Structures are given as C-alpha cells and as structure tokens.
Amino acid sequence: MKNKRFVSFVIKLILFTLVGSFFAWSFKSGYYQLIMDDAEGFIFLLKQHINMVLLSSLLAILLAIPMGILVTRPKFQKLQWLFMNTANLGQTIPSLAILALAMTWMGIGFKPAVFALFLYSLLPILRNTVAGIKSIDPDLLDAAKGIGYTPAQILLKIELPNAAYPIMAGIRTAVVINIGTAALAYLVGGGGLGDWIFTGIMMRDNSYLLSGAIPVTLLALLADQLIRFIEKLVISKGLRQTVTVSD
C-alpha cells in the first residue's frame, strides 16, 4: 500500500511539474495576452460555456437518477438492459455525430449544443446510480424490511444514502466530460470557449488556441475538485471507503 501511494505521489508530482512548466512557458511567451486584451469577450464565452455545462448536466441528473432508481425496482428490472444498452449505445456514438444529429433536428445555436451534451451525460450518471443501488448488501435490505420499513423508506434511508458516493462519482465524471465536449459546441453555433479554440486552429494562432483551451482545462479541474469537496461534505468517510464502483 505504501509503495502504491509513493508511486502515485511521484506520478502526480511529475505531471504537476510538467503542467506547471507548460503554463509558465506559455504565460511568459504572452499566449494569454488575448484574455487581457479582450476580457469582455472572454467572460462572455466563459459564461456561455458554463451555462451549457450546467444546464445539460442538470437535465441529465434530473433524468438519469430517477431512471436508475426505476430500473432497480423489482417490477421494472426487466427493463434495465433496455435502458442501459440504449445509454451505452448513445455513448458509443462520436460526440461530433451527436452534434450533427442535434443540429439537423433543432437547427444551430445553444439548444442543439445543450441537447447533445445532455445525451452524452446520461450514461455515467445512470450507470453509477444502478451500480450503487445494486451494490448494497442484501442483508442490510433484509434487516430494513425486518424492522418494518416501507419500500419508500428503504429507498430514502438505506439505498440512496449508501449509493450516494457512486452517484456523485457519476455526476462528477459527466460534468468533467461535458466541460471538455462543450468546446465542440462552436461547430453548431453554440458559442463557448470552443470559439477561440477553433479560431486558433483555423488561423494557426496559439494565442487564440491556448486562451480557449487552457481555461477549459482549468474549468474541468476546478469542477472535479469542487464536486469531490461536496462529496466529502455530504457523504460519510465510511461510505466512501466501502464503495468499490469505479468512478
């Protein structure tokens, strides 16, 4: 265990050093001057990017968690393969293809971008909700039934609290994926920081490219750490340690 922690620490140290060196080099080279020169435009694109991620992630949470709960109920377990395979199929379709399909149906702009991101966010949350509920010890459920808990009480007091960590891990994964994928919204006129990234690619201008790409990277890292912090606040350490579902 100590060796694994040491190796993990060394790898993290090397990665942080490389990333820090890159930031220092690019800053010294003046590649972020565009953010200073066009601060208003940067904030506008940043707000568009965050709005797309927040709205699509919220819609995915509101649909995927109830769906995950539904397919783990005895009456609906036969439908589990249908929901899971449909979500898996949606995840295998390239994000560009989903954007193209959404654009065909909804036109260009903010709406098709949010819709495509919403579809892409469903699987991690749905999969972790199902896995989290199914991983609960059957003896614990039997004990709850033995003391007279109703199905609703078992869900609210036993299943959801015990499945909270994998569900939060699924939300975290979906949000981080969304932040990166939202850069493609530029292709359907959805705006966001992808505007500067693709402008930089087309013009072969590193100032535009890095002024769009680096904030997206930092935003993903910030969201990851923020959701991890919320996990620690709302989920006990014991429950976090007993979860074996991959996040």
Side-chain angles (χ1 to χ4, degrees):
M1 182 64 77
K2 288 183 178 178
N3 287 336
K4 285 184 179 179
R5 287 181 180 176
F6 178 73
V7 171
S8 175
F9 172 76
V10 170
I11 292 173
K12 286 180 180 177
L13 184 63
I14 292 172
L15 286 175
F16 280 124
T17 303
L18 290 173
V19 172
S21 300
F22 175 76
F23 282 153
W25 168 79
S26 54
F27 184 80
K28 189 177 179 182
S29 301
Y31 286 133
Y32 306 119
Q33 189 59 39
L34 179 63
I35 296 176
M36 309 295 179
D37 294 341
D38 189 9
E40 191 175 336
F42 172 74
I43 291 172
F44 177 75
L45 294 176
L46 180 63
K47 284 181 179 178
Q48 278 188 328
H49 205 97
I50 292 174
N51 286 340
M52 277 190 289
V53 172
L54 285 180
L55 184 56
S56 58
S57 299
L58 180 61
L59 291 173
I61 291 169
L62 291 176
L63 181 64
I65 292 178
M67 193 188 299
I69 293 171
L70 179 71
V71 298
T72 54
R73 301 305 93 185
K75 287 183 181 178
F76 300 99
Q77 281 187 350
K78 290 181 180 178
L79 296 175
Q80 192 176 119
W81 68 271
L82 176 63
F83 282 81
M84 295 301 295
N85 285 324
T86 302
N88 274 318
L89 179 65
Q91 196 74 18
T92 58
I93 300 174
S95 50
L96 278 175
I98 292 181
L99 277 169
L101 290 172
M103 186 177 66
T104 304
W105 179 40
M106 307 177 75
I108 61 172
F110 186 78
K111 288 182 181 178
V114 170
F115 181 71
L117 292 173
F118 156 73
L119 289 181
Y120 233 63
S121 308
L122 284 176
L123 180 62
I125 304 172
L126 175 63
R127 181 181 57 201
N128 278 31
T129 302
V130 173
I133 292 176
K134 291 180 71 175
S135 67
I136 296 171
D137 188 348
D139 291 339
L140 188 60
L141 298 176
D142 289 339
K145 292 175 185 174
I147 60 175
Y149 273 20
T150 64
Q153 287 176 316
I154 292 174
L155 174 66
L156 295 175
K157 295 184 178 181
I158 305 295
E159 291 179 303
L160 287 181
N162 281 278
Y165 183 68
I167 291 172
M168 287 294 292
I171 292 171
R172 176 159 46 86
T173 302
V175 171
V176 171
I177 291 174
N178 252 0
I179 291 173
T181 309
L184 297 175
Y186 163 79
L187 300 173
V188 295
L193 291 167
D195 281 16
W196 278 9
I197 295 173
F198 281 92
T199 299
I201 293 172
M202 289 186 289
M203 296 174 61
R204 298 185 179 180
D205 186 329
N206 286 336
S207 295
Y208 273 98
L209 181 60
L210 292 180
S211 294
I214 296 303
V216 170
T217 306
L218 294 176
L219 195 59
L221 292 173
L222 180 64
D224 180 71
Q225 293 303 313
L226 179 63
I227 298 175
R228 284 180 189 275
F229 176 71
I230 294 173
E231 284 174 5
K232 290 180 180 177
L233 283 181
V234 301
I235 304 171
S236 70
K237 188 177 180 180
L239 285 176
R240 294 200 304 270
Q241 289 177 338
T242 55
V243 171
T244 56
V245 179
S246 62
D247 59 355

